[in-house]
Amino acid sequence: MNFLPVLVVEDDADLREAIVDTLSLAGYQTLEAHDGTSALARLQEAPVGLIISDAQMAPMDGYTLFAEVKQRHPGLPFILMTAYGVIERAIDLLRAGATHYLLKPFEPQDLISEVEKHLLRMPEEDRGEVVAESAAMRQLFSLASRVAQSDATVLLSGPSGSGKEVLARYIHRHSKRREGPFVAVNCAAIPDTLLESTLFGHEKGAFTGASHAMPGKFEQAQGGTLLLDEVTEMPLALQAKLLRVLQERELERVGGSRTIRLDIRIVATTNRDIQSFVDDGRFREDLYFRLNVFPLKIPALADRRDDILPLARRMLKRYAQAAERTNLTLSVEAERQLTAYEWEGNIRELENVMQRAVILAAGPAILAADLMLDPHSGLAEQVAPRAELANDEADADMRSLEKRHILETLAAVGGVKKLAAEKLGISERTLRYKLQRYREEDGGAAMPPP
């Protein structure tokens, strides 16, 4: 795994050149910026593994730059170069989360030593699960690689379908617990009455139907990683017990009295604004701080457009192989529409689109019409189809296929719209809109209520 570049921010051109030369001779890649504003622009253009910034610059100095970096790129290492007379401000930055400071003048070896300690690495693309072409995702996976080496609890946040479980598995595979189990539990999918015994296990006779003892997910994850997916959906009463288990690293099964010691790593995920849940009293603040040791935020797919086509091609390859159509490719127009689409359902929606496209493609190339994309909704009718395909019959066939796909999915999950929307990769609002439209088209015929 290669190192990411070092961004050197210095308004003195001669000193900036000297630092860049020192790092280049030591084998490190570098990027340059002459002040804080240009540094923020460089961060949008390319992934960076470390920032080395002068303190005194104009119009944006190093202190302001650090505050912006902490907000926009949390976890990105930051080293401040400062003069002896203002060392107090540098120490304040350390308390606020900066990585280190260097007093001017410093020896080249001191600079290289700090870079060796703190520079992030490029993420590995292993097992075909990681796509990180965008700057944001390269930095994210680099941070994930770094925290994976510790046992720190990680809180992954991001919109539904953005790949939180993929990142959690990546952290597990790159940790010292990689040979242990990876156990995932969806806190939103298990009824409240069963969640406690699912997590902590139960003894025989603990409740009606408990005919034998059963270890919970915590015990099943011994020596490995436990993923608490959508942890904000956990009821308040159970949050108190979870907090104690995380603090003490031990538990008692439901109906039992024996203490079981735990040796696990915790990763939690949420697609909610967890701070608002805390503010509203729906999530315990002490539990939030216990989980939020190392936060990682996954951007929406629309905010990492450089990843869209690599992801689409990888999915296309997988589904084409399964369909024994290994010659399938994406047309130029299909690629254009994929990158222009908003992806309300994120990676999950993209996967659904590629799976459908493989089914619909009549020739060796997937056309724009095969994607069935509609920019005004999260799922799909068609976006600007090629003129020769844009006839009423083709449109009707596509709408019919979409309708059948939605209704079959809804039936498969027992009519639960939230689950159906997740499987379809769309929002509940979009699903309700489409169901209402089908009811109107069918003249109020039997149809699931919107």
Side-chain angles (χ1 to χ4, degrees), residues 420-439:
E422 289 179 356
K423 285 183 174 292
L424 291 165
I426 62 177
S427 67
E428 284 190 71
R429 175 183 57 80
T430 298
L431 178 58
R432 291 180 185 278
Y433 166 77
K434 288 185 174 291
L435 290 176
Q436 179 62 39
R437 193 180 68 187
Y438 299 154
R439 288 175 63 86

Side-chain angles (χ1 to χ4, degrees), residues 438-448:
Y438 299 154
R439 288 175 63 86
E440 293 171 356
E441 291 173 352
D442 295 347
M447 182 75 61

Side-chain angles (χ1 to χ4, degrees), residues 7 30-33 37-48 135:
L7 176 59
T30 59
L31 297 172
E32 301 179 43
T37 303
S38 60
L40 293 176
R42 296 307 299 267
L43 288 173
Q44 295 298 318
E45 298 169 357
V48 168

Side-chain angles (χ1 to χ4, degrees), residues 155-221:
L155 178 61
L156 306 178
S157 61
S160 180
S162 58
K164 295 186 288 295
E165 184 168 342
V166 170
L167 184 57
R169 291 182 181 276
Y170 179 91
I171 291 171
H172 174 70
R173 289 198 308 273
H174 290 80
S175 73
K176 62 186 179 182
R177 299 177 177 274
R178 65 179 66 89
E179 300 302 324
F182 178 90
V183 177
V185 54
N186 189 330
C187 300
I190 301 173
D192 293 354
T193 53
L194 297 179
L195 187 55
E196 183 176 9
S197 65
T198 299
L199 289 174
F200 308 122
H202 61 261
E203 298 292 354
K204 180 179 179 180
F207 49 83
T208 302
S211 57
H212 58 279
M214 180 71 69
K217 297 295 185 180
F218 274 87
E219 288 182 70
Q220 295 172 31

